[in-house]
Amino acid sequence: MSRPCQARLDLDALRHNAALARQLAPAAKQLAVVKADAYGHGAVRVARVLESQADALAVACLEEAVELREAGIQAPILLLEGVFEAVELAAADRLGLWLTVANEEQLAWLEALRPAAPLHCWLKVNTGMNRLGIAATHCQEFQARLRACAGVAGDVVLYTHFASAEDLVNRATARQLEEFDALLPGVPRSAANSAGVLAWPHSHHDWVRPGYMLYGNSPMALPHANASALRPVMTLRSAVISLREVAPGDAVGYGGTWVARRASRIATVAAGYGDGYPRQAANGTPVLVNGQRAALAGRVSMDMITVDVTGLEGVRSGSEVVLWGEGLAVDEVARCAGTTGYELLTRMPPRPPRVVIAPRAA
Ligand SMILES: *Cc1c(COP(=O)(O)O)cnc(C)c1O
């Protein structure tokens, strides 16, 4: 038998989640975000599924878009950070990409351009995230200059990004929306990320931009009814490869950070930080063994973890283990490691073989 650690990718779940996003924002077009290798799920395989469901795709940069075009993806693709230098515009034009304009430089490069075909642009405005985007006071001027550009196609979509939409009681989101809604009346617009799609219906506007939720995870700080039907796309799974009994006072793993308080049964699982499981995961982090919740016991190693399975039925060498995914939300594991599911997914290393479950025929 080969090493049992695998990342299963359920593309049927992906399709289901995209349909749920559509159902929650039925009047809006859907820009499916597949940046960072589709949050670690494989940009090409994800884009092939979403291409037929979404109205457009989004990535961070030209290189990510090139990968999709080279794989034959034909859907419109928005570059969320736009281009980083003027020379990239020729490739963006050739590949039919949509551009973000988020600063004066990017606009000036466009003004100097005589592209083969006019480029579609999205104008990004800062409403409080203070990371990217022009000031609200410059919206009118940028829009007018974009309209006057020979190289820019018709309607420019105005968009902004939320800083705290996962938190329903944070007033920043309502403030951002209020400022955004007052800008350039009548222009097509977009504000909603996954949290916006799930929990802020007034943010849906003309385009929604779901990312994280497409992969079956909720960005919300607290459980939310609209997120309960999401299905995780990635399940990181493995198996028990060793079992032992330890006596009270025995320490387990590097540094002996976990010490048995009672006679305990320890299962060793073939998955470690080399497989994307976070080394920072604390003692007690939940792990599913044979579908039952057990607790991480001892430090995460590169290739293995140790789990306290005392009192669990039917655990033996070869028993199935789920590190996250079906039955155990990646965000619950992430919280025990002081991070978020976004990070765990996007930094998945190539080591665990990807086992793809094909989508059922649409
Ligand atoms: C990443 C990103 C999104 C998607 O955010 P999620 O929280 O993953 O849904 C939407 N819009 C912009 C501008 C982004 O950078």
Side-chain angles (χ1 to χ4, degrees):
M1 194 183 92
S2 53
R3 190 165 178 269
C5 185
Q6 306 174 330
R8 294 217 170 175
L9 299 168
D10 179 352
L11 300 185
D12 205 49
L14 178 66
R15 186 171 272 180
H16 165 87
N17 300 329
L20 181 68
R22 176 78 70 184
Q23 209 177 306
L24 290 170
K29 290 187 184 166
Q30 189 179 97
L31 183 81
V33 181
V34 299
K35 63 191 176 187
D37 200 29
Y39 295 53
H41 294 70
V44 170
R45 72 167 68 90
V46 164
R48 285 194 177 129
V49 173
L50 294 181
E51 185 170 39
S52 58
Q53 262 178 299
D55 298 284
L57 305 173
V59 296
C61 59
L62 180 65
E63 290 78 0
E64 292 181 342
V66 166
E67 184 193 3
L68 296 180
R69 285 285 183 261
E70 283 179 350
I73 301 296
Q74 291 174 0
I77 302 173
L78 174 68
L79 304 184
L80 291 167
E81 294 178 11
V83 293
F84 298 84
E85 42 182 345
V87 294
E88 290 182 294
L89 285 174
D93 182 30
R94 185 162 34 79
L95 299 174
L97 306 179
W98 294 2
L99 298 177
T100 290
V101 174
N103 57 49
E104 170 64 35
E105 257 187 327
Q106 289 175 327
L107 177 56
W109 294 335
L110 271 173
E111 287 177 325
L113 191 73
R114 296 288 168 269
L119 288 156
H120 285 270
C121 289
W122 285 39
L123 177 59
K124 186 155 194 186
V125 57
N126 173 27
T127 56
M129 175 80 163
N130 289 319
R131 187 180 63 174
L132 211 61
I134 62 168
T137 48
H138 293 155
C139 266
Q140 205 109 46
E141 180 211 328
F142 268 68
Q143 189 203 27
R145 284 170 63 190
L146 282 167
R147 280 192 173 152
C149 265
V152 172
D155 268 343
V156 173
V157 177
L158 183 70
Y159 84 113
T160 197
H161 196 55
F162 292 133
S164 307
E166 72 287 346
D167 179 0
L168 283 181
V169 298
N170 190 320
R171 301 235 289 282
T173 306
R175 265 200 306 270
Q176 284 192 269
L177 260 180
E178 193 182 343
E179 178 172 358
F180 183 60
D181 288 348
L183 298 168
L184 306 185
V187 165
R189 58 188 62 231
S190 172
N193 52 4
S194 292
V197 173
L198 289 165
W200 301 88
H202 293 304
S203 74
H204 292 173
H205 300 300
D206 300 288
W207 284 88
V208 291
R209 309 191 306 271
Y212 198 50
M213 71 175 290
L214 298 176
Y215 308 100
N217 305 299
S218 172
M220 304 309 294
L222 298 171
H224 192 283
N226 285 344
S228 60
L230 291 170
R231 285 170 46 194
V233 175
M234 184 191 294
T235 296
L236 184 63
R237 63 187 292 283
S238 191
V240 173
I241 57 168
S242 177
L243 275 163
R244 72 201 59 243
E245 312 296 331
V246 298
D250 284 353
V252 173
Y254 283 122
T257 64
W258 187 89
V259 178
R261 284 198 216 124
R262 52 176 183 178
S264 304
R265 195 152 193 246
I266 299 296
T268 303
V269 175
Y273 60 79
D275 302 292
Y277 194 80
R279 187 179 174 284
Q280 298 82 351
N283 282 325
T285 301
V287 176
L288 291 187
V289 181
N290 265 348
Q292 309 163 89
R293 284 171 81 98
L296 187 70
R299 273 211 191 125
V300 174
S301 321
M302 188 184 295
D303 312 317
M304 286 172 270
I305 56 171
T306 37
V307 181
D308 181 359
V309 295
T310 311
L312 291 194
E313 293 292 321
V315 178
R316 55 182 62 88
S317 193
S319 286
E320 197 194 46
V321 173
V322 169
L323 287 319
W324 69 63
E326 237 172 286
L328 179 60
V330 66
D331 280 289
E332 188 177 350
V333 176
R335 269 194 293 279
C336 297
T339 183
T340 69
Y342 285 79
E343 185 185 9
L344 295 189
L345 295 174
T346 52
R347 71 175 191 193
M348 270 298 289
R351 189 197 214 183
R354 281 18 179 204
V355 176
V356 177
I357 301 160
R360 275 179 267 138

